[in-house]
Amino acid sequence: MKKNFWMVPFTIHATRGLLRDQQSRRKTMAVSVIIALVLLIAGLTIFRPWLDPHEHPWRFILYWLACAWETVLVLLLALFDLLLVRAQTRAARKLLREQFGKGVDPDLQDAREDN
């Protein structure tokens, strides 16, 4: 039996892989920032006559919509990365408190909690 290739499950799994791995997520952010900057510079210089809003309004709208989408993608990835780093830091602090809390004398621990 031949299994059909479904694009949606493949895309979901690839996206999960990019989001879960910190290094690949940051590489994706870097590439997206470069693409957004190139689109911005090209739209303001090289493609300016091609993107004239009076002659080609749909080209103009679609091009700058693509630039905005790329910028929003970078911002969302950066926000997601920030939230993950904060969660990892919080988990590491909790683990350290638990590890060091076991080795501390109970009387000293009560004195620390009072302060």
Side-chain angles (χ1 to χ4, degrees):
M1 193 121 171
K2 188 176 179 183
K3 187 174 182 180
N4 291 334
F5 179 73
W6 293 95
M7 190 56 104
V8 174
F10 171 75
T11 305
I12 290 171
H13 288 297
T15 304
R16 282 183 185 167
L18 281 174
L19 291 178
R20 287 182 181 167
D21 183 36
Q22 183 179 19
Q23 192 172 19
S24 62
R25 183 175 56 246
R26 290 187 177 173
K27 283 181 183 178
T28 303
M29 281 191 296
V31 169
S32 294
V33 166
I34 291 168
I35 289 171
L37 287 173
V38 167
L39 286 173
L40 176 69
I41 292 168
L44 293 174
T45 58
I46 299 168
F47 295 145
R48 191 174 202 131
W50 186 74
L51 292 173
D52 186 20
H54 300 292
E55 292 180 26
H56 309 287
W58 286 108
R59 263 192 228 166
F60 178 82
I61 291 170
L62 291 176
Y63 185 84
W64 291 112
L65 190 64
C67 290
W69 175 80
E70 193 70 30
T71 304
V72 169
L73 171 70
V74 171
L75 290 173
L76 289 175
L77 283 172
L79 179 64
F80 184 69
D81 191 54
L82 175 74
L83 292 173
L84 283 178
V85 168
R86 287 183 68 190
Q88 290 170 351
T89 304
R90 206 172 317 134
R93 279 188 195 152
K94 183 179 177 183
L95 182 65
L96 283 172
R97 278 191 207 119
E98 290 174 0
Q99 287 177 347
F100 286 114
K102 291 178 182 176
V104 176
D105 185 30
D107 295 331
L108 292 175
Q109 189 174 7
D110 290 339
R112 286 183 188 165
E113 289 175 359
D114 291 338
N115 293 335

